[in-house]
Amino acid sequence: MDKYRIDSHKLLFHVARVNDWLQGENVYPVYAEISPSGACNHRCTYCALDFMEYQARFLDKGILTERLTEMASLGLKSVMYAGEGEPLLHADIAEIINHTKKAGIDVAITTNGVLLKKDLIDHIQGSISWIKVSINGGTKETYASIHKTGPDNFGRVMENMSYAAQIRRDKGYCCALGMQMILLPENRHEAELLAQQAKDIGMDYLVIKPYSQHPLSKTTRYKDIKYSDYLHLAGKLERFNTHDFTVIFRLNTMEKWDEGRRNYRQCLALPFWTYIDAGGDVWGCSAYLNNENFKYGNMYETTFQKIWEGEKRQKSLRWTEEELDIDLCRVNCRMDEINRYLWQLKHPPEHVNFI
């Protein structure tokens, strides 16, 4: 059971915000993805953001915490620290995470987990809603080959997440712990092995998700992958499911990858989320970084409110509505399910009153 709705969306729980949007009001985002670091300690074979070139740039802690306090007052409800680099490379990540929670914003991290060491876990786990680790192999050899790192990193990640599970038990924290594997030809035979290991160390879930080709990525080796070849794994992985552990096999997303079709004709989701890169630029869409049509402003130069209400963002929304060809967008983009939902609200089928 996908109790976290990872293979779906959660915008339907924000009825008031959606209703304001339907009435034509300027709404603030529910969710933000923020990249504290442009640098990364891995060079994964599937990396979608390789075109950002892993720049050694880091968000200024003072400016970021100031903006986070402001964004919370404007209605931001959650932040995921991830982005074009490894977020835990930021020297002040613990202070940033704890401030985010103190400001009233729910916090999550997507990380490769190598730097999620015991002292860091001790400082931040009480502030975090969930931690998801990207781990793309069930053996150190496959992991190292895909992550382009040393094989010892595999054991470090397992040890770090095992400790996080122990601390959660000891302290009674409400922090969901998960792992994520992007299903590739090189690791498909290790999905069951990884599921067993994740379960054994106390994870809540393992996500098995498809690759998604980024339109700007230098990496193209997986662009023709067909997930119809791997769907049989869904049944095999069900045997690991218990009350405390679930394998979330993203079947819906894999089927959409193979179909390559959308049931909407416009991107409507941009008002509900934002992306802030490691240089402080605020974007409408993480699939179009470096495309000025999606750049709203820079948080070093002005407040988030002025950026969100500014003419540059309004121009971007008009361009997206009138000119963006969504057939060129990333298949299974982060907002795909939300777009499907919003399109139906804007274009309801017949007989909707017969509930």
Side-chain angles (χ1 to χ4, degrees):
M1 178 180 177
D2 182 9
K3 71 176 183 178
Y4 301 110
R5 299 180 66 87
I6 290 174
D7 204 27
S8 182
H9 76 92
K10 287 163 274 195
L11 189 60
L12 75 168
F13 296 106
H14 299 276
V15 177
R17 196 81 57 105
V18 173
N19 185 62
D20 288 344
W21 172 78
L22 286 169
Q23 299 304 316
E25 296 185 23
N26 178 44
V27 299
Y28 278 91
V30 175
Y31 162 77
E33 182 174 328
I34 300 178
S35 180
S37 165
C40 191
N41 51 346
H42 286 183
R43 291 294 184 271
C44 301
T45 59
Y46 59 84
C47 182
L49 294 176
D50 52 5
F51 68 94
M52 296 295 288
E53 298 182 344
Y54 313 106
Q55 301 170 61
R57 56 181 186 169
F58 304 89
L59 286 175
D60 179 82
K61 181 190 71 173
I63 294 294
L64 177 56
T65 53
E66 182 180 330
R67 296 289 177 260
L68 286 165
T69 300
E70 178 202 4
M71 292 164 75
S73 72
L74 294 171
L76 184 72
K77 294 183 178 295
S78 65
V79 166
M80 179 178 75
Y81 289 112
E84 71 261 28
E86 166 52 49
L88 302 188
L89 281 170
H90 196 294
D92 300 312
I93 192 62
E95 293 177 68
I96 290 168
I97 288 169
N98 289 330
H99 175 86
T100 306
K101 184 62 177 178
K102 187 177 180 181
I105 301 170
D106 292 340
V107 191
I109 309 173
T110 295
T111 170
N112 60 42
V114 175
L115 299 176
L116 193 64
K117 299 177 182 179
K118 292 181 178 180
D119 58 340
L120 181 59
I121 292 169
D122 291 338
H123 279 89
I124 66 174
Q125 193 168 350
S127 296
I128 298 179
S129 296
W130 54 263
I131 300 170
K132 183 162 58 183
V133 168
S134 178
I135 182 166
N136 297 284
T139 65
K140 62 183 181 180
E141 292 81 12
T142 299
Y143 172 90
S145 176
I146 293 173
H147 285 253
K148 296 299 180 186
T149 188
D152 61 312
N153 278 194
F154 180 81
R156 289 184 197 172
V157 174
M158 287 294 181
E159 181 180 342
N160 292 344
M161 293 304 284
S162 179
Y163 181 75
Q166 175 190 324
I167 291 300
R168 180 179 61 177
R169 289 191 300 270
D170 293 346
K171 300 288 187 180
Y173 292 143
C174 296
C175 174
L177 300 173
M179 292 181 163
Q180 176 174 281
M181 170 192 273
I182 294 181
L183 196 58
L184 301 171
E186 300 96 311
N187 65 17
R188 68 188 188 281
H189 61 291
E190 295 183 357
E192 293 175 82
L193 176 59
L194 183 59
Q196 185 63 63
Q197 292 174 98
K199 183 177 181 179
D200 288 346
I201 66 170
M203 297 297 95
D204 295 296
Y205 63 84
L206 168 67
V207 176
I208 306 291
K209 65 177 287 187
Y211 172 78
S212 177
Q213 181 65 45
H214 195 294
L216 300 179
S217 179
K218 298 176 182 179
T219 300
T220 59
R221 65 189 289 179
Y222 304 114
K223 66 181 180 64
D224 296 321
I225 192 170
K226 295 296 181 185
Y227 281 98
S228 56
D229 298 336
Y230 306 138
L231 299 186
H232 66 281
L233 286 171
K236 290 185 175 183
L237 290 163
E238 285 181 357
R239 67 186 177 91
F240 295 97
N241 294 344
T242 66
H243 180 267
D244 299 316
F245 178 79
T246 307
V247 178
I248 302 168
F249 191 87
R250 297 193 62 176
L251 183 62
N252 177 45
T253 308
M254 291 183 193
E255 289 175 339
K256 287 189 296 182
W257 169 267
D258 283 351
E259 292 170 5
R261 296 195 305 270
R262 296 176 171 89
N263 68 344
Y264 53 91
R265 295 194 295 274
Q266 289 177 319
C267 179
L268 302 172
L270 301 191
F272 299 97
W273 87 299
T274 191
Y275 180 91
I276 301 175
D277 71 21
D281 287 328
V282 180
W283 300 88
C285 179
S286 62
Y288 287 101
L289 300 180
N290 295 341
N291 184 329
E292 290 293 320
N293 288 310
F294 291 91
K295 183 178 175 181
Y296 298 162
N298 188 283
M299 71 172 198
Y300 291 135
E301 299 172 0
T302 189
T303 65
F304 187 81
Q305 183 173 7
K306 287 182 178 179
I307 291 171
W308 202 253
E309 296 182 1
E311 175 56 30
K312 197 167 185 180
R313 177 173 170 268
Q314 300 309 315
K315 182 179 178 181
S316 174
L317 293 177
R318 290 194 296 269
W319 184 89
T320 301
E321 180 180 352
E322 298 168 4
E323 299 187 42
L324 176 65
D325 181 359
I326 64 167
D327 289 334
L328 301 178
C329 291
R330 187 178 188 180
V331 176
N332 284 326
C333 80
R334 195 177 297 279
M335 294 292 116
D336 181 72
E337 284 295 321
I338 289 177
N339 271 315
R340 291 170 185 264
Y341 168 64
L342 295 174
W343 183 262
Q344 284 191 310
L345 290 180
K346 286 275 194 177
H347 306 85
E350 296 179 10
H351 308 161
V352 293
N353 292 333
F354 295 86
I355 62 172

